[in-house]
Amino acid sequence: MLIFMIVTTIVILQRIFELFIAKRNERQMLQLGAYEVGASHYPFMILLHVSFFISLIVEVIVFERTISPLFLPLFIIFLLVQSLRIWCLSSLGMYWNTKIIVLPGAQIVKKGPYVFLKHPNYFVVCCEIIILPIMFQAYFTAIVFTLLNFIMLSIRIPIEEKALMEATNYEYVFNKKIQHHS
């Protein structure tokens, strides 16, 4: 239980720290003329992530879940995923945010993990939502929130990509071909 409390507390503190980074980046971007899109789904995304941690904590404590027999390899993978998270944040710099903040005319960042994946930060979140609960045998939380996260991303990613295509060089950078009909 002590390991669970330590790991979960660190991850929650990390998320809170990231919200401060996101707010700072949002202020910088807005000063440069950026705007937010997809604001209507953002409260649901926050609710999803807060509920994830509540579910994880309740499942582990109430149902007395124990550390997985595969804890060590899962924890190593989790640490690698955290490294990828940091790489995402540092690669995007002021463009990283928990909201969809678009700066018209900005050049899309295609460095770091963004060379290999269009949305590596979403990949990180998907991995965390699966790995963290499984480390403590909280399978209900892993399954339910993986499904909920996929639903959220199926809404969020198209909104983000559409906004980036309209306002930046996103289409060119990722070689997207859009048919224009007259």
Side-chain angles (χ1 to χ4, degrees):
M1 189 60 73
L2 180 60
I3 292 174
F4 170 73
M5 292 173 70
I6 291 169
V7 170
T8 306
T9 300
I10 289 170
V11 174
I12 290 170
L13 290 174
Q14 177 188 12
R15 295 302 176 276
I16 292 168
F17 180 68
E18 288 171 0
L19 288 173
F20 284 107
I21 292 171
K23 198 60 170 167
R24 181 198 67 205
N25 290 348
E26 179 182 1
R27 279 192 301 272
Q28 277 185 283
M29 294 281 286
L30 293 176
Q31 287 174 351
L32 295 172
Y35 57 91
E36 181 180 0
V37 295
S40 62
H41 78 268
Y42 189 71
F44 295 102
M45 193 176 81
I46 295 294
L47 180 63
L48 173 87
H49 287 269
V50 170
S51 299
F52 166 76
F53 284 106
I54 292 169
S55 177
L56 176 63
I57 292 165
V58 168
E59 184 174 359
V60 169
I61 293 172
V62 171
F63 295 101
E64 299 178 354
R65 303 292 192 227
T66 58
I67 291 177
S68 169
L70 298 173
F71 178 83
L72 188 56
L74 289 169
F75 186 66
I76 291 168
I77 293 168
F78 187 76
L79 291 177
L80 292 172
V81 168
Q82 293 312 299
S83 299
L84 180 56
R85 173 183 283 282
I86 293 166
W87 195 18
C88 290
L89 269 72
S90 63
S91 295
L92 285 182
M94 76 168 183
Y95 297 105
W96 182 86
N97 212 298
T98 57
K99 295 179 179 178
I100 302 172
I101 307 290
V102 179
L103 180 61
Q107 298 297 304
I108 290 298
V109 174
K110 185 128 185 201
K111 66 179 184 179
Y114 295 88
V115 171
F116 309 105
L117 294 170
K118 276 200 288 185
H119 301 287
N121 200 63
Y122 295 143
F123 173 75
V124 165
V125 172
C126 291
C127 290
E128 291 171 337
I129 286 176
I130 294 170
I131 296 168
L132 187 59
I134 292 175
M135 286 169 35
F136 301 99
Q137 301 191 71
Y139 300 111
F140 175 83
T141 299
I143 293 167
V144 168
F145 284 90
T146 293
L147 294 173
L148 291 173
N149 188 53
F150 281 142
I151 293 167
M152 176 58 65
L153 292 179
S154 74
I155 295 165
R156 183 177 176 85
I157 290 173
I159 291 169
E160 182 174 342
E161 288 188 342
K162 181 178 185 286
L164 290 172
M165 279 191 261
E166 291 172 353
T168 71
N169 67 335
Y170 185 86
E171 183 177 357
Y172 173 77
V173 169
F174 287 103
N175 296 321
K176 290 199 160 212
K177 305 285 187 234
I178 296 180
Q179 299 294 326
H180 297 283
H181 299 304
S182 304

